[in-house]
Amino acid sequence: MRPDSPSPLVPFLVACAGIATYSSMDVLMKGLSIGIGAYNAVLWRTMAGSVLSGLVYFAARPARPDAATMRIHAWRSLFVTGMALGFFWALARLPMAEAIALAFVAPLLALYMAAIFLGERIGRRSIAASLLGFAGVLVIVAGKLGDGGHDTQALWAVGAVFLSAVCYAYNLILARRQAKMAGPAEIAFYQNLFVALFLSLAAPWFAAIPAAAHAAPIVGAALLAILSLLLLSWAYARAEAQILATTEYTGFLWAMLFGWFFYAEPVTLPTIAGALLIVVACLIVTRKTPRKDPVEPAAA
């Protein structure tokens, strides 16, 4: 079991870098999900990720994980599979900033799941930060959905994001336990491998060979996903989930920028106002002093 960092600032900044990297991957995955569908986008990305992360992982000649560690690798990957399919299906039908904003219910849920599943005590600053960040999300959602101008498919996409957020919230909790039991390279390899295996079960019905033009985005998305997972795994091994969960809110800032730059998606005043509330929430939570680590190995 790895001890926590004496200061939450460095893990917090590393987690922010991981979220920025993941947001860059979203740009490629949005295009792939539009072009070949969410299922094939996630399937081929994780297959490529299994090969690339495997090269890094096995180069160090690691010891074989024990049964408990393999169980949590597989268990978390199951939730990652559901999370990814729901989110990328919705991302093909919603603006990036809107999809990310709706997904921000996940850190709020994770904050309280951390108390239930990890035994973490929720401090007042963490509660205030989560509520302030959630208020920012509400401002954004009110601006995006309040005009009633969305079609039926977009409303289904909103529902898919919320279901994805539930999986993501529990995924954040599992990330904390998993990071205490395994190194970042091991986590990156087995997560890609198990997600690819889970998705392969439906391959006879849904899989399709992507065109050559999709090869570069698939490999690029896999590399960015691996880098993000390495950074986040390192951070979650060294700081409490209730601190790092709030870094998820910074993903909106990247989604707003990337959506505007790559897909000409407009940035509205409610979007900017909500983003400011989210940034303030992140600044509040970094001031929290971590307590003695209460985490025990998962019996998943």
Side-chain angles (χ1 to χ4, degrees), residues 3-257:
D4 281 357
S5 172
S7 169
L9 180 59
V10 173
F12 183 87
L13 292 176
V14 171
C16 286
I19 296 301
T21 305
Y22 195 85
S23 298
S24 301
M25 184 268 294
D26 284 344
V27 174
L28 296 176
M29 288 298 290
K30 180 179 177 74
L32 287 169
S33 296
I34 293 171
I36 61 177
Y39 171 82
N40 280 287
V42 179
L43 172 66
W44 292 105
R45 190 206 75 187
T46 52
M47 290 181 68
S50 298
V51 175
L52 295 171
S53 60
L55 293 174
V56 175
Y57 176 56
F58 288 108
R61 297 189 177 184
R64 183 177 179 179
D66 58 27
T69 305
M70 288 295 287
R71 283 197 297 271
I72 197 169
H73 286 327
W75 186 239
R76 184 188 176 198
S77 297
L78 182 62
F79 284 89
V80 170
T81 302
M83 174 194 78
L85 287 176
F87 181 76
F88 291 122
W89 185 86
L91 191 61
R93 293 159 175 82
L94 294 172
M96 287 185 64
E98 183 175 337
I100 294 293
L102 291 168
F104 281 156
V105 294
L108 184 68
L109 293 172
L111 177 66
Y112 299 99
M113 284 184 180
I116 297 171
F117 295 108
L118 300 181
E120 293 182 5
R121 295 178 59 190
I122 305 176
R124 292 182 179 179
R125 283 179 180 170
S126 292
I127 293 174
S130 72
L131 294 177
L132 187 60
F134 189 57
V137 172
L138 291 179
V139 170
I140 296 163
V141 172
K144 294 286 186 180
L145 304 181
D147 58 5
H150 290 300
D151 58 26
T152 302
Q153 190 174 57
L155 293 177
W156 277 108
V158 169
V161 172
F162 278 112
L163 290 176
S164 175
V166 173
C167 292
Y168 195 19
Y170 190 55
N171 165 69
L172 292 174
I173 300 305
L174 293 175
R176 170 68 168 161
R177 290 189 171 188
Q178 186 185 36
K180 286 292 182 177
M181 300 170 68
E186 178 182 323
I187 292 171
F189 170 67
Y190 281 107
Q191 179 167 304
N192 276 282
L193 178 64
F194 277 118
V195 172
L197 290 175
F198 289 144
L199 290 172
S200 295
L201 296 176
W205 297 276
F206 300 110
I209 303 298
H214 295 128
I218 288 171
V219 173
L223 287 171
L224 290 170
I226 291 168
L227 178 58
S228 174
L229 190 56
L230 291 173
L231 292 170
L232 291 171
S233 296
W234 187 94
Y236 271 87
R238 291 163 176 82
E240 290 182 349
Q242 63 177 300
I243 294 176
L244 299 182
T246 311
T247 65
E248 299 291 325
Y249 293 133
T250 64
F252 173 78
L253 303 176
W254 296 109
M256 181 174 63
L257 175 63

